[in-house]
Amino acid sequence: MITSKIISNGILRALTTIILVCFVLYFLYQIQTVILYLCISLILCLIANPFITFLKKRLKFKNIFATVTTLLLFVFMLVGFVLLFVPLIISQAENLSLLDTDLLQSQLTILENNIENYFNINNIDIQGILKNANLSSKINYNFFTDFINTIINLIAGFGMGLASVFFITFFFLKDQLIFKEKAKKILPDATEDKILNSIEKINQLLARYFIGLLLQLTVVFILYFIVLIIFGSENAFIIAFLCALLNVIPYIGPIIATILSAVLTLISAIGTDFRTEMLPTTMYIVIGFLIVQIIDNNISQPIIFSKSVNSHPLEIFLVTLISGITFGIFGMVVAIPIYTIIKVIAKEFFPNNKIVSVLTEKI
């Protein structure tokens, strides 16, 4: 028989549960930066594990020395990455100091008039459209300076985060066997083997995924670099490297990279004639970048990712597309790793399910 006391106790328990859930979510929101550091550290661990295994098995390094050597390699790569931007920032700042906005605006006005004359010759009157649009007056000529300042501020804010990430990563790598032993004591006996097997497979597949991602970015970087060299772009190596990194964001990243290359090319060409040098060079580089992206999206990316996580290229495309529509850019970035984790867990805990068996037959 249901009494008022039972009902009140049930309501009280429900309210308590809701309050606790809200408190936990609020707490997680407050420490979201720490959670981000932990996630980045875990990714670095997945990338570092093959190197540490190589150092321990092939070169007979002890665990602590293998860990320190790997982290030092990461530090040197990071320092080299930062130093790459120093000449780029200096050269772009020098070019910006030479920027004559009045001259650039007058050149854009002349370009508008040339377009008008061309279409009038072909009996297409767009003079009214161009005058109403007044494109040259609407261009923000301070965009270049604002963009460089934003990049500098982002780099300056990374110091504390990088120190925290490397500190966490060091202990994740050094004590991962200890963490595994402690996890065995905590996990329920009935599901211990399944959970540990899932973690092991996830570790292997994600390590392959991130190594595959590095390979894909390397291919894109080389192609971008070739395009920039062909058209005589200044700081071609640095621009190609930065644009290749943006390819971490599926589909959106390449678009941002193309816009960024166009902006940096325009800045580098300041002082030359806009119509005969700045604009044509920028257009050629944009076209070259679009060709690289077609090659990457249809050849290198599907092949590398499908091989690294044992999924069909169409499967990868659909998962990334759905994640992007649902969760935006962040969803596109984490789509493949999270999908891989879900597949591994599903296969370990629901091996007899027909859908799961079909999707995970290669795992």
Side-chain angles (χ1 to χ4, degrees):
M1 181 178 181
I2 300 176
T3 63
S4 59
K5 184 177 181 180
I6 294 175
I7 295 174
S8 61
N9 287 337
I11 294 174
L12 184 62
R13 282 196 299 271
L15 289 174
T16 303
T17 303
I18 293 172
I19 292 171
L20 287 174
V21 170
C22 291
F23 176 78
V24 170
L25 292 176
Y26 177 75
F27 177 73
L28 293 176
Y29 175 77
Q30 291 297 318
I31 63 167
Q32 57 181 314
T33 304
V34 178
I35 296 173
L36 178 62
Y37 293 163
L38 290 171
C39 292
I40 296 174
S41 296
L42 288 172
I43 292 173
L44 288 177
C45 288
L46 291 171
I47 298 174
N49 273 330
F51 294 101
I52 291 179
T53 303
F54 173 80
L55 292 174
K56 289 165 66 175
K57 290 185 177 180
R58 299 283 181 163
L59 303 181
K60 307 302 180 183
F61 277 36
K62 292 184 178 180
N63 183 55
I64 183 67
F65 292 123
T67 301
V68 172
T69 302
T70 304
L71 284 180
L72 285 175
L73 177 62
F74 283 169
V75 171
F76 289 145
M77 292 174 61
L78 178 63
V79 171
F81 171 73
V82 172
L83 292 178
L84 280 175
F85 286 90
V86 174
L88 176 64
I89 293 172
I90 292 174
S91 64
Q92 303 306 336
E94 290 175 351
N95 288 328
L96 286 173
S97 67
L98 300 174
L99 179 62
D100 187 344
T101 56
D102 293 334
L103 176 61
L104 182 58
Q105 186 169 0
S106 66
Q107 289 182 337
L108 285 174
T109 303
I110 293 172
L111 182 62
E112 283 186 30
N113 293 332
N114 291 336
I115 294 173
E116 282 185 31
N117 294 332
Y118 173 79
F119 282 104
N120 285 334
I121 290 173
N122 288 277
N123 298 321
I124 302 175
D125 184 15
I126 63 166
Q127 183 177 4
I129 298 174
L130 290 175
K131 285 186 175 180
N132 291 332
N134 198 13
L135 297 176
S136 60
S137 64
K138 294 182 180 179
I139 294 177
N140 181 13
Y141 295 94
N142 293 323
F143 170 77
F144 303 139
T145 306
D146 294 339
F147 176 79
I148 297 298
N149 289 335
T150 301
I151 295 295
I152 293 173
N153 291 333
L154 286 174
I155 294 173
F158 270 1
M160 183 64 185
L162 288 173
S164 302
V165 166
F166 277 110
F167 185 80
I168 296 170
T169 305
F170 172 75
F171 287 102
F172 276 177
L173 291 172
K174 184 177 77 72
D175 298 329
Q176 54 184 314
L177 294 178
I178 298 175
F179 293 149
K180 187 178 292 186
E181 290 300 322
K182 290 184 177 180
K184 289 181 179 180
K185 296 178 181 179
I186 298 173
L187 296 175
D189 294 336
T191 58
E192 178 183 321
D193 291 337
K194 291 182 178 180
I195 294 174
L196 292 177
N197 289 336
S198 298
I199 293 173
E200 186 66 25
K201 289 181 181 178
I202 289 170
N203 185 24
Q204 293 175 358
L205 287 174
L206 290 187
R208 291 173 57 186
Y209 166 75
F210 287 112
I211 292 173
L213 180 62
L214 291 176
L215 177 60
Q216 183 249 344
L217 295 182
T218 302
V219 172
V220 172
F221 160 73
I222 292 172
L223 295 175
Y224 281 163
F225 181 66
I226 292 172
V227 170
L228 293 169
I229 285 294
I230 289 174
F231 297 108
S233 175
E234 294 184 13
N235 300 307
F237 184 89
I238 307 169
I239 296 174
F241 188 77
L242 179 60
C243 291
L245 285 180
L246 289 170
N247 272 46
V248 171
I249 308 172
Y251 308 110
I252 303 297
I255 297 174
I256 300 174
T258 303
I259 296 172
L260 178 61
S261 66
V263 170
L264 293 177
T265 302
L266 284 172
I267 296 174
S268 299
I270 289 175
T272 61
D273 186 74
F274 178 79
R275 289 179 297 163
T276 60
E277 294 188 33
M278 289 179 67
L279 186 60
T281 302
T282 303
M283 290 179 63
Y284 293 146
I285 288 177
V286 168
I287 293 171
F289 271 48
L290 292 176
I291 294 173
V292 171
Q293 289 161 21
I294 291 173
I295 295 172
D296 178 55
N297 291 334
N298 293 280
I299 301 176
S300 61
Q301 193 175 114
I303 292 174
I304 292 172
F305 286 165
S306 63
K307 296 293 183 182
S308 60
V309 296
N310 293 332
S311 297
H312 193 276
L314 180 60
E315 193 178 348
I316 296 293
F317 172 78
L318 291 176
V319 168
T320 305
L321 183 63
I322 293 170
S323 299
I325 293 173
T326 308
F327 302 106
I329 292 177
F330 178 76
M332 298 176 77
V333 173
V334 301
I336 299 175
I338 291 179
Y339 179 64
T340 302
I341 292 171
I342 293 173
K343 283 177 66 174
V344 172
I345 295 174
K347 181 171 185 178
E348 201 64 42
F349 286 88
F350 309 103
N352 296 324
N353 184 281
K354 293 183 178 180
I355 298 176
V356 172
S357 62
V358 169
L359 292 176
T360 62
E361 60 181 352
K362 293 183 178 180
I363 295 180

